[in-house]
Amino acid sequence: MSGNREYTYIGKKLERVDALAKVTGEARYFADVQLPGMLVGKILTSPHAHARILSIDSSNAERLPGVRAVVTAKDMPKRSLDFYQSGESDQMKGHGRADLYALVSEKVHFVGEEVAAVAADDSFIAEEALRLIRVEYEVLPAVFAPEESMKPGAPTIYEDLPGNVANHLQGSHGDVKKGFAEADHIFEDEFKTQPQYHGALERHGCTCTWGCDGNLTMWTTTQTPHLLQWMYGGVTGTPMSNIRIVSSYVGGGFGSKTHVLYPYHVICAVLSKKTGRPVKIDLSRMEDFAHACACPPWTIKIRTAVKKDGRITAKHLDMTGDCGAHLYSSAGQLNQCVTMAFSHLYKVPAISYEGRVVYTNNPHRAVAYRGFGNPQISFAMESQMDRIAEALHMDPAELRLKNFFEPGETSDFGWKFDAYGLPECVRKATEAADWKGKRREKTPNRGIGMANILHMTGWKGVFGAGESDSTILVGKEDGSFYLYTDFSEIGTGVWTVARAVAAEVLGVSLETIRIVGGDTYATPFGQGSYASRGTYNCGNSVKLAALDMKRQILEAAADLLKENPEGLDTKNDEVFVRRTPEKKVPFSRVCWHVHFNLAKMLISKGNWTMPAGLHDPVTNRWGSPGPMTSYAFACQVAEVEVDPRTGKVQVLKMTAAHDVGYPINLEQVEGQIEGGVVMGLGYALTEDLRMEEGRVLVDDFADYFVRRSQDVPEINPIIVTTDDAYGPFGAKGVGEAVMCPTAAAIANAIYDAVGVRINELPITPAKVLKALREKEKR
Amino acid sequence: MKLDVNGQLHDIPVEAHETLLDVLRNRLGLTGTKQGCSGGGCGACTVLLDGRPVYSCMVFAARAEGMKVTTIEGLAQNGEIHPIQRAFIDHGAVQCGYCTPGQILSAKALLDKNPSPSESQVKEAIVGNLCRCTGYVKIVKAILAAVRT
């Protein structure tokens, strides 16, 4: 909690720690690592959506000059790469399935699944070798839609799971029957969402090398280096201390690089071990598309009961997700849809829900994606809210305000809404966008729409009850500091936050602190950069470490100044006596004193997890909306123009008001909002990892429409300040919230513009045109 | 072949199939030029050829003989970074950093040709440079600010 707001760094526009290395091209990503004798690794993948492997003959490939190793499933660890999904996670126990292997041996389950791999002197030889591997398949019937996959008689994708339902959850709270019985109106709608490709500019891959002492070094692109180290150790039995994961700079993640030990990680390490040489696997953009990381597509049905005055009395949700052939984090996303937005965006006395994720032979890998289900559920909920408002002849903003919690209120599930900026987000966004004026005075084919969201921040992790993010601070002899954090810098600016927090607490200049991050040899354990937790969890662990370091500095300075440590404080790289501020000593002198006179070292640590008492294994059980650490809120308002002849939607302006707690780096908070809105805009209108009969139909940026500089509307980021109870200096996380409301706001603006409601993302010109024609017929 | 990169002449063996990007990254170790797609779709590999921005993944190295190649490593002069680089730092235009070298070189090509571009000309100049993080707002601001310095 923050007291005064007289900060030196917090809340200012700060220069990023990593900016200079990035503008000069010096920042080194995994693909930039060049090692002597390095080989190229390539992976042979399945051409069939569902087939039995009868035989693999790699003898011709092995004989090709320049091929150094060929591997198949028999060379790989036997354990599932996501073994924790089925057991070693409190959260997942009994709710997950371990279904992912480095290379498959008996069956392929989708086009693109890894079957064999080679290491060769160069990529031409490696590709030729892949062509020489003969795999004999018996093609099996495949299924590509969850509704079909659940039907009796559908092909069984995993023999131990007839029916193909990989995960199911169900629950209710309150008197749902009564809620629906006492309603004046009941609204029921169905929505569909598409798989969105993360499209990080840095593609997937890694570079591996083994030392003669049995140490593996893997440079890769991961949001969670320590989890990757733990998973690699768990899968292969290699002691964790023999595994070094380096992932300091990551060229964008957006969820695709979190929590997953991918087949390519293990394949690359095994190839390197087998050949005794460094190996790099650098997926081409085409392969990266075919690797098909995406958020899973969902069908979302919502039934909502409301009184005449707009108060919601009950809600029912039914969700079905297509997880493709592997569960990845899709079950977690289903869980989060229910336990977060559905249960707590509005105050609803009674809710019931049922959801499932279903195996199909579709090729997408249903990994995490910015928002973790929230853009999807919010698209559905917030589209329906507008339909309700229209039916009740209410302003959509008023309907929403009527159903919010009261600031300071605690929900039935124990969520405390102390820092509750949601009503202010709505007020500020609507004012800034001239909501009332634009709704009153209509321009033909132009429309305005809004959407709200709630998103958790400060998440503790999924494996145990109290998982740490950690910082080690080391004071050097000259008064400068090393700050070791578990966090990689994936672009979010977390290292800049870490440095600002440490400098603020210590009272030193930013330049005296050097960040070391994302290297498991050097940095302490932590969960990593995902779930809008960087600023929150990293910031908190840094703050704790810095407070302890400050105590040590003051003690040493007290010895020098012959004063009590309690009477001292720090500012401008100096320790001063509070009563007589002119009596002071520079940090450099204090640190020198510690090392050269007191024979000690300056070292401190900070461990942060969810505060005790908040995480309750009973209320936080699977499918139940137990409290999170903190909640971020937002209201976005979209203004659009629809061309009724072509169905083309042009977004004119986005106003995005976000409750970010107390912002640490203003520049970066704005940057997150702008970037998130643009990603949400792509999700709303153009981005779709299209697939047909189990094949991904797009394999480059010419066919997959990521927004370009000329496709970006005016964006007005509005920062709503609250004071989070646990966040560092009152901050909340913001990385995911920024894209969650965008699609719904745009859909609502389209309805306002031309009177058609598109319930299926993305909202393409074809869909708009079809809806306009149907509207004309009516 | 002989290749002039950032004012330094290199005499190196190059195979016919090698792209300028391959040679810069693999033979000369200039890894500031990023490889995003290898298909002319993302702009991460943008370099300047005689001042003109090109996707180095789409140019055979042999074609660059006799031309001046400028990469991100060649922008700093006498230990001072280029004003566009400074502006990217000052205006928060950098996030993950993977598109950054390409954005900066596209901007440089524009400003060398047109010292006072409009906002829409800036957007046009970087339309071939994808960014997945920033939403372009701060990149455009930074380039316009560099104009003023």
Side-chain angles (χ1 to χ4, degrees):
Chain A
M1 183 92 76
S2 52
N4 67 61
R5 295 294 198 201
E6 298 295 310
Y7 299 131
T8 310
Y9 306 114
I10 304 297
K12 307 280 162 61
K13 292 201 168 189
L14 301 171
E15 182 177 318
R16 287 179 62 123
V17 175
D18 52 336
L20 185 60
K22 287 174 176 175
V23 300
T24 53
E26 191 185 288
R28 188 176 276 203
Y29 303 78
F30 89 85
D32 301 332
V33 175
Q34 317 252 21
L35 299 169
M38 191 163 74
L39 301 171
V40 173
K42 288 268 175 198
I43 302 170
L44 181 70
T45 60
S46 159
H48 302 296
H50 197 194
R52 203 171 302 287
I53 298 172
L54 301 177
S55 65
I56 303 178
D57 177 5
S58 59
S59 53
N60 286 340
E62 282 160 33
R63 279 196 292 271
L64 186 70
V67 171
R68 305 299 164 188
V70 182
V71 291
T72 58
K74 66 180 185 326
D75 304 290
M76 293 293 140
K78 300 293 165 260
R79 207 167 185 206
S80 168
L81 307 195
D82 55 354
F83 61 92
Y84 66 87
Q85 291 243 25
S86 63
E88 291 179 34
S89 147
D90 281 3
Q91 197 77 19
M92 293 296 290
K93 209 164 274 177
H95 304 284
R97 283 172 52 81
D99 56 19
L100 179 67
Y101 293 86
L103 289 169
V104 287
S105 55
E106 289 168 14
K107 245 174 60 161
V108 289
H109 310 86
F110 67 96
V111 174
E113 189 161 25
E114 294 83 353
V115 175
V118 303
D121 290 352
D122 65 39
S123 59
F124 295 98
I125 299 169
E127 271 161 25
E128 179 59 24
L130 292 188
R131 277 190 288 274
L132 292 173
I133 300 174
R134 293 271 163 260
V135 186
E136 204 185 336
Y137 292 102
E138 176 198 344
V139 176
L140 301 169
V143 61
F144 305 112
E147 311 81 64
E148 298 301 316
S149 190
M150 285 187 288
K151 277 185 189 160
T156 298
I157 295 168
Y158 291 96
E159 304 310 323
D160 66 330
L161 192 75
N164 299 324
V165 176
N167 186 273
H168 178 263
L169 70 78
Q170 190 169 16
S172 70
H173 169 77
D175 194 338
V176 180
K177 256 192 188 153
K178 178 168 162 270
F180 277 99
E182 71 186 19
D184 295 313
H185 303 275
I186 292 172
F187 296 85
E188 190 160 5
D189 296 283
E190 182 176 306
F191 302 88
K192 280 181 187 288
T193 65
Q194 81 281 31
Q196 183 180 24
Y197 173 60
H198 301 77
L201 264 277
E202 185 196 21
R203 304 161 315 196
H204 282 270
C206 61
T207 306
C208 291
T209 187
W210 291 81
C212 53
D213 53 359
N215 280 322
L216 165 67
T217 303
M218 181 190 292
W219 290 266
T220 187
T221 175
T222 179
Q223 300 169 234
T224 53
H226 287 269
L227 295 185
L228 209 65
Q229 181 192 33
W230 179 74
M231 287 181 209
Y232 188 87
V235 167
T236 60
T238 312
M240 284 176 66
S241 55
N242 283 15
I243 306 160
R244 179 182 188 183
I245 308 286
V246 189
S247 186
S248 296
Y249 292 119
V250 174
F254 313 110
S256 68
K257 297 167 180 172
T258 183
H259 277 84
V260 186
L261 179 68
Y262 281 106
Y264 66 76
H265 288 126
V266 179
I267 292 167
C268 191
V270 170
L271 284 171
S272 175
K273 190 162 201 177
K274 201 165 175 186
T275 56
R277 288 168 64 172
V279 176
K280 184 189 286 183
I281 292 183
D282 184 4
L283 297 190
S284 70
R285 183 57 68 181
M286 238 190 238
E287 287 169 330
D288 200 86
F289 267 103
H291 196 245
C293 288
C295 57
W298 297 96
T299 300
I300 305 168
K301 295 176 196 170
I302 301 185
R303 198 162 70 238
T304 301
V306 288
K307 302 290 274 183
K308 268 190 292 216
D309 66 358
R311 266 184 314 114
I312 301 170
T313 54
K315 269 173 113 72
H316 177 74
L317 170 73
D318 185 284
M319 276 183 83
T320 303
D322 169 4
C323 68
H326 298 300
L327 199 54
Y328 287 104
S329 71
S330 54
Q333 294 178 51
L334 170 64
N335 186 50
Q336 183 166 299
C337 285
V338 167
T339 57
M340 206 171 61
F342 179 69
S343 59
H344 280 85
L345 178 56
Y346 298 109
K347 185 178 174 178
V348 184
I351 55 170
S352 58
Y353 44 88
E354 184 169 5
R356 65 218 50 86
V357 285
V358 183
Y359 284 131
T360 66
N361 296 110
N362 276 327
H364 61 275
R365 298 175 196 254
V367 298
Y369 200 111
R370 198 176 200 173
F372 210 59
N374 203 349
Q376 292 74 29
I377 186 85
S378 293
F379 167 65
M381 288 174 63
E382 287 296 89
S383 293
Q384 193 187 53
M385 279 304 264
D386 262 38
R387 208 166 79 72
I388 297 170
E390 192 194 16
L392 300 182
H393 307 291
M394 285 179 77
D395 183 303
E398 275 169 39
L399 173 69
R400 287 171 168 89
L401 285 163
K402 191 161 234 161
N403 284 288
F404 287 158
F405 287 86
E406 290 297 320
E409 194 174 350
T410 300
S411 82
D412 290 353
F413 294 95
W415 295 35
K416 288 192 184 68
F417 289 119
D418 288 330
Y420 192 61
L422 185 53
E424 197 184 340
C425 287
V426 173
R427 197 169 52 75
K428 285 204 163 146
T430 50
E431 270 171 28
D434 187 21
W435 171 264
K436 288 211 164 111
K438 284 184 180 137
R439 283 180 59 84
R440 209 171 34 236
E441 285 175 31
K442 305 288 259 189
T443 307
N445 302 320
R446 283 198 178 189
I448 188 165
M450 67 151 50
N452 298 318
I453 59 100
L454 159 159
H455 200 84
M456 66 158 185
T457 82
W459 176 233
K460 67 166 186 63
V462 294
F463 297 109
E467 292 165 53
S468 173
D469 281 283
S470 323
T471 298
I472 295 173
L473 255 179
V474 174
K476 298 300 293 172
E477 299 88 303
D478 65 349
S480 64
F481 296 90
Y482 281 125
L483 191 162
Y484 299 91
T485 169
D486 59 284
F487 281 80
S488 303
E489 178 48 87
I490 69 166
T492 58
V494 66
W495 288 359
T496 307
V497 166
R499 189 172 71 166
V501 168
E504 190 72 51
V505 172
L506 288 171
V508 300
S509 40
L510 295 169
E511 300 70 43
T512 62
I513 299 168
R514 172 156 299 274
I515 307 286
V516 182
D519 180 344
T520 62
Y521 251 25
T523 65
F525 173 79
Q527 293 278 311
S529 260
Y530 68 96
S532 306
R533 63 199 301 293
T535 290
Y536 207 95
N537 296 41
C538 178
N540 268 326
S541 75
V542 169
K543 195 175 172 199
L544 292 171
L547 284 168
D548 186 31
M549 177 57 70
K550 184 174 174 180
R551 182 188 56 75
Q552 295 179 36
I553 298 271
L554 293 188
E555 270 176 19
D559 187 56
L560 272 175
L561 294 165
K562 309 285 177 251
E563 293 275 348
N564 272 329
E566 295 77 38
L568 304 179
D569 207 344
T570 59
K571 201 179 176 181
N572 300 334
D573 301 292
E574 290 172 329
V575 182
F576 65 93
V577 181
R578 252 194 252 113
R579 269 182 300 111
T580 49
E582 62 282 2
K583 192 175 174 190
K584 57 194 183 184
V585 57
F587 266 59
S588 53
R589 177 79 185 95
V590 179
C591 294
W592 192 93
H593 183 61
V594 171
H595 288 89
F596 295 107
N597 287 334
L598 303 180
K600 286 182 181 171
M601 68 181 289
L602 289 162
I603 182 162
S604 69
K605 69 179 173 66
N607 299 101
W608 169 262
T609 188
M610 204 168 173
L614 269 188
H615 175 75
D616 176 339
V618 178
T619 55
N620 283 63
R621 73 184 190 280
W622 190 257
S624 173
M628 320 282 175
T629 313
S630 166
Y631 317 98
F633 305 96
C635 174
Q636 291 185 1
V637 174
E639 293 169 56
V640 305
E641 178 159 6
V642 182
D643 184 339
R645 292 163 309 155
T646 61
K648 194 164 186 274
V649 176
Q650 195 194 348
V651 178
L652 305 170
K653 185 175 176 185
M654 291 294 305
T655 305
H658 284 259
D659 169 6
V660 302
Y662 194 79
I664 289 187
N665 181 2
L666 258 187
E667 188 88 81
Q668 194 54 40
V669 172
E670 283 178 11
Q672 283 286 326
I673 294 174
E674 290 156 0
V677 163
V678 171
M679 200 176 220
L681 222 140
Y683 188 53
L685 298 178
T686 53
E687 292 187 37
D688 186 358
L689 193 65
R690 286 177 293 127
M691 42 193 83
E692 208 174 277
E693 294 292 302
R695 272 164 217 282
V696 177
L697 297 179
V698 287
D699 62 8
D700 61 34
F701 287 122
D703 291 328
Y704 187 86
F705 300 114
V706 169
R707 296 270 128 178
R708 291 179 180 271
S709 54
Q710 288 178 322
D711 316 322
V712 169
E714 183 189 347
I715 301 170
N716 180 13
I718 297 171
I719 293 169
V720 170
T721 303
T722 56
D723 191 1
D724 190 76
Y726 304 106
F729 296 96
K732 299 178 180 182
V734 69
E736 293 170 289
V738 290
M739 84 166 276
C740 295
T742 314
I746 290 172
N748 289 339
I750 293 169
Y751 182 81
D752 188 51
V754 290
V756 298
R757 187 157 284 291
I758 312 296
N759 286 356
E760 196 178 326
L761 293 176
I763 305 175
T764 59
K767 288 179 195 168
V768 174
L769 213 51
K770 185 164 168 256
L772 283 171
R773 289 199 180 126
E774 278 164 14
K775 189 184 149 210
E776 271 168 30
K777 278 186 214 153
R778 287 199 299 269
Chain B
M1 66 173 284
K2 286 189 174 56
L3 201 58
D4 177 345
V5 182
N6 302 327
Q8 292 192 14
L9 208 59
H10 301 267
D11 200 343
I12 43 170
V14 165
E15 290 184 46
H17 60 75
E18 281 183 277
T19 64
L20 181 56
L21 176 65
D22 292 336
V23 169
L24 290 173
R25 286 181 57 85
N26 303 335
R27 292 198 187 267
L28 302 182
L30 295 170
T31 54
T33 306
K34 298 300 173 206
Q35 184 172 19
C37 72
S38 311
C42 74
C45 68
T46 302
V47 301
L48 304 186
L49 260 191
D50 281 346
R52 227 164 35 85
V54 296
Y55 291 154
S56 63
C57 72
M58 302 299 280
V59 177
F60 283 120
R63 246 202 62 202
E65 190 151 29
M67 298 171 95
K68 284 188 185 311
V69 183
T70 308
T71 72
I72 194 70
E73 289 91 347
L75 254 56
Q77 295 292 324
N78 308 319
E80 286 284 315
I81 57 170
H82 190 276
I84 302 174
Q85 292 174 308
R86 186 71 249 166
F88 268 60
I89 297 174
D90 290 344
H91 294 269
V94 177
Q95 288 192 25
C96 88
Y98 219 73
C99 75
T100 308
Q103 304 277 7
I104 289 173
L105 286 163
S106 287
K108 183 173 189 303
L110 170 73
L111 299 193
D112 286 348
K113 202 174 62 184
N114 177 1
S116 53
S118 64
E119 183 173 324
S120 68
Q121 285 170 324
V122 168
K123 285 185 173 177
E124 192 186 337
I126 57 164
V127 76
N129 295 86
L130 276 187
C131 172
R132 195 56 159 161
C133 298
T134 66
Y136 306 98
V137 179
K138 290 186 187 295
I139 293 176
V140 173
K141 268 188 200 160
I143 297 170
L144 288 169
V147 168
R148 293 191 291 270
T149 53

